[in-house]
Amino acid sequence: MTSFDETELRLGLPGDGGNKTIEGGATAVHNSGKRGYDETIMDLKLKLSSHDQETKIDHDQKKHSSANPPAKAQVVGWPPVRSYRKNMLSVQKKSTLHNEEGNDSSPSFGTKGNGGGGAAFVKVSMDGAPYLRKVDLRMYKSYQDLSDALGNMFSSFTIGNCGSQGLKDFMNESKLMDLLNNSDYVPTYEDKDGDWMLVGDVPWE
Amino acid sequence: MTSSFPEEVLEHVFSFITSHKDRNVVSLVCKSWYEIERWCRRRVFIGNCYAVSPEIMIRRFPEVRAVELKGKPHFADFNLVPEGWGGYFYPWIVEMAKAYPLLEEIKLKRMVVSDEGLEMIGRSFRCFKVLILSSCEGFSTDGLAAIAANCRNLRELDLRESEVEDLSGHWLSHFPDACTSLESLNMSCLSSEVSLSALQRLVARSPKLKTLRLNRAVPLEKLSTLLLRAPQLVEMGTGAYSADIHSDVYSSLAAAFSKCKELKSLSGFWDVDPYYLPVFYSVCSRLTFLNLSYATIQSPDVSKIISQCPNLQRLWVLDYIEDSGLNTLSLSCKDLRELRVFPSDPFIADANVSLTEQGLVAVSEGCPKLQSVLYFCRQMSNSALITIANNRPNLTCFRLCILEPRAPDYLTFEPLDTGFGAIVDQCKGLQRLSLSGLLTDRVFEYIGKHAKKLEMLSIAFAGDSDLGLHHVLSGCDSLRKLEIRDCPFGDKALLANVSKLETMRSLWMSSCAVSLGACKLLSRKMPRLNVEVIDEQGDLDSRPDNCAVEKLYIYRTVAGPRLDTPSFIQTMGQNTAYRLP
């Protein structure tokens, strides 16, 4: 089983500084850091190739290290989809990507295990959001695409899960998009050497 | 008391009674009926392989021809049960090989089967006909070769969703040329290539072949030659469903499908290329089961297919179908009984597809015979659930999985208690229910009050207190299987309902709040339950009684504590003197 190096993208809400009060109902349990229930990092068994580069994209101007809530790991056995099914879908996605890159035109089925080359999954966490997301970097062609997608991802999430009206207003989609696109904020990320880089310095590819 | 009928007459009457439940009831009428029944019982179903021992089964039923066993708890499907838990087939085959020389059928689910066990099947039963291994593991293609080579009258070999150590595809070539009895072959879970010529010859010499489910390694180019040799097929699973575009592949496939006048069920469709979808349109009007759950095709293509399947009864599909496709389904497939919608991307919480609760509402409106639902989605509302319940009081199985744990009603932000409450209230025949979303103790109050026919309940990330569990245990009269994870249920509810547990097959609780002490107490009070504590951290003996157990599996048994528990499982009360002899 290939080990799975994950990269972590962190989205800090501007001005929030790791706001932990965005909670609704029982989701408070997760933000408090005190978990009553056993949750462990999920063993993906997706046999994805490891991703060497570690990047951390932080949309907040300030560096958040200790101020951020701990990245919420996904839960074992949830959602309840059988490994067989998960593997089948991920293997097919890899084959499709394999083809799209102009490689061998017949997918490499028929062999034991799964072919190389694959999706580049990256964990994204947003401060205050109880759960991580996974993003396949190969789905995006540019930083702007990724930024748009992340914006959509988290805005729809927050609308769905906010507990109080006031927070809901704050967190509505258009406002969030404005904030993300606002020129006061310059997207930055932390690369594997721990250096902060301006988005766009390194070409997307 | 002597029977007023000769035994032979009673035996003849009993031969018409085939359901397990009915036969069990018959055997309870009186001692002589018990005796007659046990000698003529041909099929045995054991829902928990640890509830009884092979010796007990053989002693009671000496003339069995078909045995069905289930092993691991259902949550093993989702990696919640550690490796090495148990469920071994070997002790059973060893005894059955001696006692049942005329055995014909073995059906196993979630059991650990070894090559040795499979070899023993091949050696021991000269009339062996049917082997079904559902979600099993522990064996390799060598074991399959032994079955193929030795079971001269094999009718059915079905490996559905088993995890097989795939050493090579050579096993298929072990079917002897003289074997012409095959009616059903499901090898879809295997990954290695089999010899296509061996497969073709096997298909050609099996005139009774009705079910053929290929694996992904069988290329689309070869499918037409297989179909031409088996136009009598009723159920077919394709291999990979794409090829370099050659017009003759397309036309020969279309021609082959058009000759399959009996085809009612289709599956497979890995690596699907939409270009080849129209080749099977000619069979759509007869299809009753369509499994597109591995087909990564988009909604318009799905809709195109579905709109041509007016006789469809069961559809398994990915959420690529979207609300629009489900709307098409609701308009086109008025005979639909079962719908399963699986998530294409379960680990991203954003909606990568436009599938919402509306799709399910539409199907519930348009499909009057809909009984069974498995639905993964990202949002749900009480009003949608209430609408579904009012539309479809005939639901017998309702499994809803909202991907985000504890997600509230997305419109009102309230818990989904009233929605699920409507389901159990309206659907009086509901037998199976899986809950998700934000739920308080209230939903369990509704379930305990209304779900009187409920047999299996799955709960995750729900409830506030022991009261929730208490409602279920005290109210659900028909409950057989209860599986719970990550809920704040503890000792009180469990200890207040100890006798209920003996009326059920099993209870699974993981990441809840049950203490070690309560487990010990429960085991002392109920000696005919095995109370198994699973704890991978080890040294349970040194833990205080008030510490919470990781995982707990409780089941009724007449076989006492099992002897094959791994180091991380302890059966409570094993060392006490409280057990009945």
Side-chain angles (χ1 to χ4, degrees):
Chain A
M1 165 122 44
T2 42
S3 67
F4 184 59
D5 273 338
E6 294 175 320
T7 60
E8 205 173 53
L9 298 178
R10 318 203 69 173
L11 272 184
L13 290 171
D16 271 356
N19 188 350
K20 286 184 170 59
T21 64
I22 302 161
E23 308 163 343
T27 57
V29 174
H30 297 276
N31 280 336
S32 71
K34 286 185 187 144
R35 303 195 204 137
Y37 319 126
D38 205 19
E39 280 155 348
T40 46
I41 294 177
M42 188 185 66
D43 179 355
L44 277 177
K45 291 191 182 171
L46 287 179
K47 300 194 177 113
L48 299 168
S49 61
S50 55
H51 194 67
D52 286 332
Q53 194 191 24
E54 257 191 50
T55 53
K56 228 166 114 165
I57 299 182
D58 195 327
H59 279 245
D60 194 294
Q61 272 192 323
K62 297 181 292 221
K63 253 199 222 187
H64 291 295
S65 39
S66 52
N68 288 335
K72 177 87 177 53
Q74 288 192 3
V75 176
V76 174
W78 190 268
V81 178
R82 307 187 52 191
S83 319
Y84 175 75
R85 192 170 284 284
K86 284 187 284 195
N87 291 345
M88 271 297 149
L89 283 178
S90 80
V91 160
Q92 286 186 84
K93 278 185 186 158
K94 279 175 53 184
S95 287
T96 315
L97 289 168
H98 205 60
N99 281 340
E100 281 170 3
E101 285 154 34
N103 287 332
D104 185 354
S105 62
S106 55
S108 58
F109 48 75
T111 52
K112 191 174 174 201
N114 307 298
F121 278 108
V122 156
K123 256 199 256 184
V124 182
S125 72
M126 182 171 80
D127 293 343
Y131 296 99
L132 288 179
R133 305 318 169 61
K134 276 193 167 2
V135 171
D136 177 1
L137 286 181
R138 284 183 193 265
M139 306 252 303
Y140 306 103
K141 301 280 181 284
S142 68
Y143 285 114
Q144 186 58 45
D145 276 2
L146 175 61
S147 162
D148 290 345
L150 289 174
N152 283 330
M153 198 184 289
F154 286 98
S155 65
S156 62
F157 169 82
T158 52
I159 287 172
N161 282 288
C162 266
S164 79
Q165 190 62 27
L167 287 164
K168 181 186 171 205
D169 284 341
F170 175 74
M171 295 293 286
N172 77 43
E173 176 172 350
S174 56
K175 286 203 169 159
L176 186 58
M177 289 308 294
D178 287 344
L179 291 163
L180 287 174
N181 293 328
N182 190 313
S183 58
D184 283 353
Y185 293 93
V186 179
T188 56
Y189 64 93
E190 194 177 320
D191 74 7
K192 64 180 176 191
D193 299 327
D195 298 330
W196 285 95
M197 311 279 286
L198 266 184
V199 162
D201 277 356
V202 178
W204 176 256
E205 299 78 44
Chain B
M1 169 174 133
T2 51
S3 168
S4 40
F5 289 119
E7 262 187 43
E8 301 77 33
V9 174
L10 277 173
E11 257 191 55
H12 183 67
V13 172
F14 292 170
S15 68
F16 295 100
I17 300 170
T18 48
S19 104
H20 298 293
K21 279 190 187 140
D22 289 343
R23 293 217 62 132
N24 291 345
V25 165
V26 158
S27 69
L28 291 173
V29 167
C30 63
K31 281 190 180 149
S32 67
W33 280 38
Y34 176 92
E35 277 302 307
I36 297 166
E37 194 282 321
R38 78 180 185 91
W39 279 95
C40 64
R41 174 106 59 149
R42 296 286 174 260
R43 312 185 70 88
V44 175
F45 168 76
I46 294 170
N48 173 6
C49 64
Y50 290 118
V52 77
S53 71
E55 292 82 4
I56 293 172
M57 173 185 75
I58 290 165
R59 196 165 62 222
R60 181 172 171 190
F61 301 116
E63 297 284 341
V64 159
R65 299 282 184 270
V67 173
E68 182 175 345
L69 296 170
K70 293 188 179 182
K72 298 187 208 170
H74 173 239
F75 272 176
D77 285 355
F78 316 124
N79 301 329
L80 288 174
V81 176
E83 282 295 304
W85 177 87
Y88 302 106
F89 175 58
Y90 194 75
W92 291 86
I93 185 59
V94 161
E95 297 305 317
M96 293 195 300
K98 289 184 273 189
Y100 296 148
L102 298 176
L103 192 69
E104 294 176 2
E105 300 183 20
I106 293 175
K107 183 174 174 184
L108 305 175
K109 188 166 186 178
R110 286 191 206 97
M111 291 196 71
V112 178
V113 180
S114 61
D115 285 346
E116 215 179 345
L118 294 177
E119 282 153 22
M120 215 176 246
I121 292 176
R123 278 200 308 269
S124 315
F125 310 118
R126 55 185 168 83
C127 307
F128 197 73
K129 295 196 169 69
V130 174
L131 181 62
I132 299 175
L133 300 174
S134 175
S135 308
C136 294
E137 56 166 353
F139 60 102
S140 78
T141 42
D142 286 352
L144 296 179
I147 296 287
N150 298 315
C151 300
R152 301 279 152 162
N153 297 304
L154 195 67
R155 213 170 61 200
E156 203 173 318
L157 178 60
D158 187 340
L159 304 172
R160 53 180 88 151
E161 292 171 333
S162 289
E163 247 180 69
V164 184
E165 195 193 343
D166 212 323
L167 301 172
S168 84
H170 197 57
W171 64 275
L172 190 89
S173 308
H174 283 255
F175 278 106
D177 290 338
C179 174
T180 58
S181 49
L182 206 59
E183 293 181 24
S184 171
L185 177 62
N186 179 356
M187 43 181 260
S188 53
C189 62
L190 299 178
S191 49
S192 52
E193 287 179 50
V194 296
S195 152
L196 288 168
S197 57
L199 180 58
Q200 278 170 22
R201 287 196 309 274
L202 178 62
V203 168
R205 67 176 183 274
S206 305
K208 295 193 230 157
L209 193 67
K210 297 279 187 300
T211 300
L212 179 64
R213 303 223 190 257
L214 303 168
N215 66 345
R216 195 164 164 240
V218 176
L220 191 61
E221 293 91 334
K222 299 296 180 188
L223 186 58
S224 51
T225 44
L226 288 168
L227 284 179
L228 287 172
R229 281 168 172 73
Q232 76 282 4
L233 280 178
V234 177
E235 302 181 323
M236 206 272 293
T238 74
Y241 207 77
S242 52
D244 294 341
I245 293 183
H246 289 145
S247 64
D248 44 310
V249 172
Y250 186 102
S251 52
S252 43
L253 266 175
F257 268 109
S258 66
K259 294 195 166 61
C260 294
K261 305 290 188 196
E262 311 295 325
L263 205 52
K264 293 211 172 74
S265 161
L266 273 182
S267 62
F269 299 107
W270 295 287
D271 311 308
V272 64
D273 179 350
Y275 174 74
Y276 290 104
L277 288 174
V279 302
F280 72 86
Y281 283 177
S282 58
V283 306
C284 281
S285 62
R286 286 183 291 270
L287 285 181
T288 57
F289 177 39
L290 185 55
N291 182 353
L292 294 173
S293 62
Y294 296 108
T296 53
I297 50 176
Q298 303 303 312
S299 181
D301 289 320
V302 181
S303 294
K304 188 87 199 289
I305 297 169
I306 290 172
S307 57
Q308 301 180 66
C309 301
N311 291 308
L312 202 60
Q313 292 178 12
R314 300 166 62 208
L315 176 66
W316 295 16
V317 73
L318 285 169
D319 56 9
Y320 291 130
I321 190 176
E322 299 193 328
D323 288 345
S324 55
L326 290 172
N327 200 47
T328 305
L329 182 66
S330 74
L331 296 170
S332 309
C333 303
K334 296 302 184 186
D335 210 21
L336 195 72
R337 320 281 165 102
E338 177 183 320
L339 173 66
R340 297 195 192 189
V341 179
F342 295 96
S344 51
D345 225 331
F347 304 112
I348 297 190
D350 68 322
N352 60 325
V353 291
S354 176
L355 179 112
T356 69
E357 80 286 2
Q358 290 310 315
L360 186 56
V361 171
V363 177
S364 76
E365 266 162 25
C367 301
K369 295 197 191 155
L370 187 69
Q371 290 176 327
S372 176
V373 171
L374 171 63
Y375 199 76
F376 285 82
C377 60
R378 292 189 163 91
Q379 66 186 42
M380 188 49 63
S381 66
N382 283 309
S383 65
L385 284 170
I386 292 167
T387 304
I388 292 166
N390 288 332
N391 286 339
R392 293 275 64 78
N394 51 324
L395 284 172
T396 55
C397 170
F398 189 73
R399 292 150 76 188
L400 180 68
C401 180
I402 306 164
L403 290 172
E404 192 91 21
R406 300 193 186 89
D409 177 324
Y410 78 100
L411 296 168
T412 64
F413 306 109
E414 284 169 2
L416 291 169
D417 299 338
T418 44
F420 280 106
I423 295 278
V424 293
D425 187 13
Q426 293 296 318
C427 307
K428 308 238 184 278
L430 196 69
Q431 289 172 354
R432 185 164 179 188
L433 178 65
S434 299
L435 304 170
S436 58
L438 182 63
L439 298 163
T440 71
D441 283 348
R442 174 129 294 169
V443 73
F444 300 111
E445 197 188 320
Y446 297 143
I447 290 173
K449 188 167 169 209
H450 295 290
K452 295 304 181 187
K453 299 282 196 239
L454 193 67
E455 296 182 10
M456 183 168 177
L457 179 61
S458 309
I459 310 173
F461 306 104
D464 308 313
S465 75
D466 272 61
L467 203 50
L469 180 56
H470 177 70
H471 285 309
V472 171
L473 290 176
S474 58
C476 295
D477 299 334
S478 309
L479 198 62
R480 290 189 299 115
K481 289 179 282 184
L482 181 57
E483 47 186 23
I484 304 173
R485 61 163 298 175
D486 294 272
C487 296
F489 299 149
D491 300 345
K492 290 200 212 87
L494 215 51
L495 293 174
N497 291 282
V498 294
S499 39
K500 173 70 174 177
L501 298 176
E502 222 181 67
T503 68
M504 292 164 55
R505 183 188 295 174
S506 64
L507 166 64
W508 169 279
M509 292 179 76
S510 55
S511 307
C512 296
V514 180
S515 74
L516 185 58
C519 295
K520 292 178 183 169
L521 183 55
L522 176 60
S523 163
R524 283 203 295 278
K525 284 189 177 191
M526 303 292 293
R528 279 189 306 217
L529 294 179
N530 279 353
V531 180
E532 294 182 4
V533 171
I534 301 172
D535 196 310
E536 290 179 275
Q537 289 172 50
D539 59 288
L540 260 179
D541 296 321
S542 55
R543 301 268 195 86
D545 275 359
N546 63 358
C547 83
V549 301
E550 275 175 23
K551 299 175 185 182
L552 179 59
Y553 187 52
I554 302 170
Y555 57 90
R556 66 182 176 190
T557 180
V558 295
R562 57 183 174 114
L563 303 171
D564 59 4
T565 46
S567 56
F568 53 82
I569 298 185
Q570 229 187 77
T571 307
M572 298 290 100
Q574 211 171 341
N575 298 323
T576 71
Y578 289 85
R579 291 188 49 239
L580 290 175

